[in-house]
Amino acid sequence: EYCGDAASFLSNAVKPAKAREVKIVPGKDGQLTAIIRVDPEDKALVIGKGGRNVGIVRRMAKRHFKIERVVIE
């Protein structure tokens, strides 16, 4: 579901897993990084088989918010 706020958008993008925290931080090179914290039992669900789910989230974040990196913790 699209949301104008990057943190809310990424929180919705990892559903059905529940994101405990989403932070958007600028890197040293000026590129944005999203750090998404989820429960350990949901981490595999968010990443997906072969990284498919997190790849989709990464592409959407880059397209809509110019976020270059997505880190799942």
Side-chain angles (χ1 to χ4, degrees):
E1 175 177 327
Y2 183 78
C3 184
D5 174 40
S8 298
F9 178 82
L10 292 171
S11 180
N12 289 337
V14 298
K15 284 187 178 178
K18 184 174 183 331
R20 290 189 289 152
E21 181 182 16
V22 178
K23 291 195 301 188
I24 310 297
V25 295
K28 294 176 185 166
D29 53 0
Q31 295 181 343
L32 295 176
T33 299
I35 301 171
I36 304 171
R37 290 202 170 101
V38 296
D39 290 326
E41 59 269 4
D42 289 338
K43 193 170 182 178
L45 177 66
V46 173
I47 294 171
K49 186 174 184 177
R52 181 177 297 171
N53 294 345
V54 75
I56 292 168
V57 171
R58 186 175 290 123
R59 284 193 302 272
M60 289 190 305
K62 187 172 183 176
R63 178 181 304 146
H64 295 293
F65 298 102
K66 307 296 186 245
I67 296 172
E68 293 296 324
R69 293 183 62 220
V70 176
V71 178
I72 308 296
E73 294 183 344

